[in-house]
């Protein structure tokens, strides 16, 4: 259990690094390049609490909305335990690979349409949720759009980490997470300390962190199982369905832009779901995911 606990600690370490580096780097940029910040952010950049203002918009608003989707896909981690552990105990590497493939595709089926829709609706969502804080909502919407690649990577990292833990490779996710934390630290120090800073830079650094982590964990799982997961073809169908969902959301948002924000958002969500679920069914995703599951795990 020690590596599992360390994995949770390292995950929280990324948030701590964000707090320390963003506040310090922004304070330094505000002192050295005040004109550049005012030109980019307006009069709000002259405020004494500008670093806290930006960090609060990023973490307290953008990351809060961002975490809604990973909190749902994170439930897949628990579902991997019984089947993956039983298959590994029987030395069934192919069964573990099939199970990992099915879980990852299920996570992708959840996160890809959400990320696509939020790319269109980031600003309306933030304005609807934080109507009393319009300045912060604008910054948070930009940050949320920059975080969307990170949302996809994070939702895929969680189930893969769990599979490694349940097949007695619990130390590997910790090592990969430490590398990801180092990438985020370098990214924050490099991007946020520049006079051309924008709030999207913090999202880019975080996305780079989890992208590197995903590549390392995916490669480690492939070596542990001694076979490829063959995810490219399966992702193609899910990504195509998510693209149709995103297009439907964009069309609906364009048609209802003059409506009340809550009503417009509701229509966009319904339109995206009405297109995505049938597309997923028609393209055979549900049957394929079910076929990829080992027999004893299909229930």
């Amino acid at each position: 259990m020690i590596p599992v606990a360390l994995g949770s600690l390292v995950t929280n370490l990324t948030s701590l690094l964000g707090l320390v580096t963003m506040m310090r780097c922004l304070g330094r940029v505000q002192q050295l390049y005040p004109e550049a910040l005012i030109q980019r952010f307006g009069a709000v950049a002259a405020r004494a609490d500008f670093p806290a203002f930006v960090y609060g918009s990023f973490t307290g608003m953008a990351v809060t909305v961002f975490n809604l989707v990973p909190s749902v896909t994170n439930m897949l981690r628990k579902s991997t335990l019984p089947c993956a552990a039983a298959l590994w105990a029987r030395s069934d590497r192919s069964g573990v690979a099939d199970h990992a493939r099915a879980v990852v595709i299920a996570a992708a089926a959840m996160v890809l349409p959400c990320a696509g829709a939020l790319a269109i609706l980031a600003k309306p969502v933030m304005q609807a949720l934080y109507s009393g804080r319009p300045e912060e909502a604008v910054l948070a919407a930009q940050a949320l759009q920059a975080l969307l690649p990170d949302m996809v990577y994070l939702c895929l990292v969680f189930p893969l980490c769990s599979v490694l833990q349940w097949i007695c490779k619990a130390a590997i996710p910790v090592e990969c997470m430490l590398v990801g934390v180092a990438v985020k630290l370098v990214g924050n120090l490099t991007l946020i300390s520049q006079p051309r800073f924008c709030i999207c830079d913090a999202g880019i650094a975080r996305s780079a962190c989890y992208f590197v982590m995903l590549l390392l964990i995916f490669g480690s799982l492939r070596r542990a199982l001694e076979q490829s997961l063959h995810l490219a073809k399966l992702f193609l169908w899910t990504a195509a369905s998510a693209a149709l969902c995103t297009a439907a959301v964009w069309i609906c948002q364009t048609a209802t832009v003059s409506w009340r924000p809550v009503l417009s958002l509701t229509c966009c969500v319904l339109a995206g779901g009405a297109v995505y679920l049938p597309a997923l069914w028609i393209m055979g995703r549900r049957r394929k995911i079910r076929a990829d599951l080992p027999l004893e795990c299909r229930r």
Side-chain angles (χ1 to χ4, degrees):
M1 294 304 298
I2 292 178
V4 179
L6 288 176
S8 300
L9 178 63
V10 172
T11 302
N12 293 328
L13 183 60
T14 59
S15 301
L16 178 61
L17 281 177
L19 170 63
V20 175
T21 56
M22 283 189 68
M23 296 288 285
R24 290 181 178 272
C25 291
L26 283 176
R28 180 177 178 274
V29 172
Q30 188 181 27
Q31 292 179 352
L32 297 179
Y33 311 105
E35 297 84 2
L37 289 181
I38 292 175
Q39 183 179 3
R40 183 175 294 274
F41 293 97
V44 69
R47 293 169 44 171
D49 62 343
F50 177 70
F53 173 83
V54 174
Y55 182 77
S57 301
F58 179 79
T59 303
M61 298 170 66
V63 175
T64 299
V65 176
F66 165 90
N67 282 333
L68 293 176
V69 179
S71 65
V72 175
T73 59
N74 195 26
M75 293 186 294
L76 293 171
R77 300 180 66 177
K78 298 179 181 179
S79 69
T80 65
L81 170 58
C83 188
L87 293 168
W88 185 257
R90 296 200 301 268
S91 299
D92 186 358
R93 296 177 184 269
S94 297
V96 176
D98 290 340
H99 185 62
R101 184 184 305 115
V103 172
V104 170
I105 292 300
M110 296 180 191
V111 68
L112 289 179
C114 294
L118 282 174
I120 306 298
L121 301 176
K123 187 174 181 180
V125 166
M126 286 300 174
Q127 290 176 339
L129 293 176
Y130 304 99
S131 57
R133 302 163 64 182
E135 293 180 335
E136 292 94 329
V138 172
L139 285 179
Q142 298 175 8
L144 181 59
Q145 289 177 323
L147 284 170
L148 293 179
D150 177 32
M151 179 185 293
V152 177
Y153 306 146
L154 183 60
C155 289
L156 299 182
V157 161
F158 280 161
L160 290 176
C161 284
S162 296
V163 173
L164 285 170
Q165 291 170 348
W166 308 143
I167 64 173
C168 306
K169 305 291 183 182
I172 294 178
V174 178
E175 298 168 356
C176 297
M177 288 178 183
L178 287 173
V179 176
V181 168
V183 171
K184 180 175 181 179
L185 177 61
V186 173
N188 280 355
L189 295 177
T190 303
L191 296 175
I192 300 178
S193 60
Q194 299 298 321
R196 57 175 181 77
F197 162 79
C198 71
I199 196 169
C200 295
D201 293 337
I204 293 172
R206 177 168 170 147
S207 296
C209 162
Y210 283 101
F211 177 69
V212 171
M213 197 182 302
L214 176 62
L215 292 180
L216 293 175
I217 290 176
F218 183 80
S220 299
L221 181 59
R222 181 176 179 176
R223 288 192 297 272
L225 298 178
E226 299 178 351
Q227 58 184 290
S228 176
L229 296 181
H230 301 293
L231 291 174
K233 184 177 180 180
L234 301 179
F235 266 106
L236 177 63
W237 298 111
T238 306
S241 301
L244 292 175
C245 171
T246 304
V249 170
W250 178 78
I251 293 173
C252 185
Q253 199 272 337
T254 303
T256 62
V257 66
S258 60
W259 295 8
R260 294 178 59 182
V262 175
L263 181 59
S264 176
L265 284 175
T266 302
C267 291
C268 290
V269 171
L270 293 176
V275 171
Y276 179 65
L277 294 178
L280 198 65
W281 178 268
I282 293 171
M283 292 184 180
R285 289 305 319 128
R286 292 184 179 178
R287 293 191 299 272
K288 187 63 178 177
I289 291 174
R290 185 173 178 82
D292 285 338
L293 280 171
L295 180 62
E296 64 270 28
C297 300
R298 292 181 186 178
R299 182 174 62 84

